[in-house]
Amino acid sequence: MPASRLHGHHDRPSMVSVGTIIWLSSELMFFAALFAAYFTIRSVSPELWDQNTALLDVPFAAVNTTILVLSSLTCQLGVFAAERGQVGRTGGLLAFKGWGLREWFILTYVMGAIFIAGQAVEYANLVQENVTIQDSAYGTMFYLTTGFHGIHVTGGLIAFLFVLGRTYVARKFTHEQAVTAIVVSYYWHFVDVVWIGLFATIYLVK
């Protein structure tokens, strides 16, 4: 397939972007199935939810959620820099207006890593409270829904490393690299939106 068709021009869609959107649609169906299973099991075992939701650290999860949601903003700022063809910063480290793709994506990566670390801390605390995947249906659904999302976030972190690595290896920043940054942002925004739904479902709608 010619590069012009694969990565797109100003007057035609990028096949990479279209393919990513189609793939994310299938991922949406996957998470929809997890939501359906969660609500179905909850409807037949409300006593399990009454016992276990009281053990959730909602303020901690809210802070962790805020970090992940804000990472979508930093990711998009990196995309804007990529669209301008700006790879690195033009001023000092604290001159945020001069940041390029690398700086914004590195910050996004750090925020995503903090989210995963926070999720690991929460898992450890819940295990100490005997909320485990084999303990009850609640534990099973809690770890399945949040765990699969965590795996997706980890995949996004790997994608950020790939994009950042290309900017250092390549001799010049190309349109193809900008498209890669854009499709990675699609994925990152997707996992952020899914987590907002999970947070509301698991931590707020008890």
Side-chain angles (χ1 to χ4, degrees):
M1 182 178 292
S4 61
R5 290 188 58 195
L6 183 62
H7 299 286
H9 277 307
H10 66 280
D11 60 345
R12 68 182 67 177
S14 164
M15 296 301 293
V16 177
S17 299
V18 173
T20 301
I21 292 172
I22 293 173
W23 173 63
L24 290 178
S25 298
S26 68
E27 289 293 290
L28 180 61
M29 295 299 100
F30 170 77
F31 279 103
L34 288 179
F35 276 105
Y38 180 92
F39 282 112
T40 299
I41 297 176
R42 176 182 174 177
S43 67
V44 298
S45 304
E47 68 284 352
L48 289 177
W49 265 250
D50 293 336
Q51 296 169 7
N52 291 281
T53 53
L55 301 174
L56 297 176
D57 190 344
V58 178
F60 179 84
V63 172
N64 216 27
T65 298
T66 301
I67 292 173
L68 186 65
V69 171
L70 289 177
S71 72
S72 262
L73 173 61
T74 59
C75 178
Q76 191 59 41
L77 290 172
V79 169
F80 291 153
E83 291 174 340
R84 296 193 304 268
Q86 182 183 351
V87 182
R89 67 178 189 271
T90 56
L93 184 60
L94 298 180
F96 301 111
K97 291 184 178 180
W99 277 19
L101 169 66
R102 286 175 185 158
E103 289 74 29
W104 288 118
F105 269 27
I106 288 174
L107 179 58
T108 304
Y109 179 91
V110 171
M111 296 172 76
I114 291 173
F115 174 83
I116 291 296
Q119 198 170 41
V121 170
E122 186 178 21
Y123 282 3
N125 292 335
L126 288 174
V127 169
Q128 290 181 352
E129 298 288 346
N130 295 319
V131 180
T132 61
I133 195 170
Q134 73 273 12
D135 179 62
S136 66
Y138 175 86
T140 299
M141 290 312 305
F142 176 84
Y143 289 108
L144 279 180
T145 52
T146 60
F148 273 115
H149 178 268
I151 292 173
H152 281 72
V153 173
T154 303
L157 296 179
I158 295 173
F160 281 123
L161 291 178
F162 173 75
V163 173
L164 290 168
R166 285 188 67 184
T167 65
Y168 285 103
V169 173
R171 294 184 177 180
K172 66 176 182 177
F173 189 73
T174 63
H175 172 69
E176 288 75 16
Q177 291 186 51
V179 171
T180 302
I182 291 170
V183 298
V184 169
S185 75
Y186 290 167
Y187 178 83
W188 195 250
H189 296 325
F190 170 79
V191 296
D192 280 10
V193 170
V194 168
W195 179 252
I196 292 173
L198 286 173
F199 175 76
T201 299
I202 296 173
Y203 295 91
L204 301 182
V205 186
K206 296 182 178 181

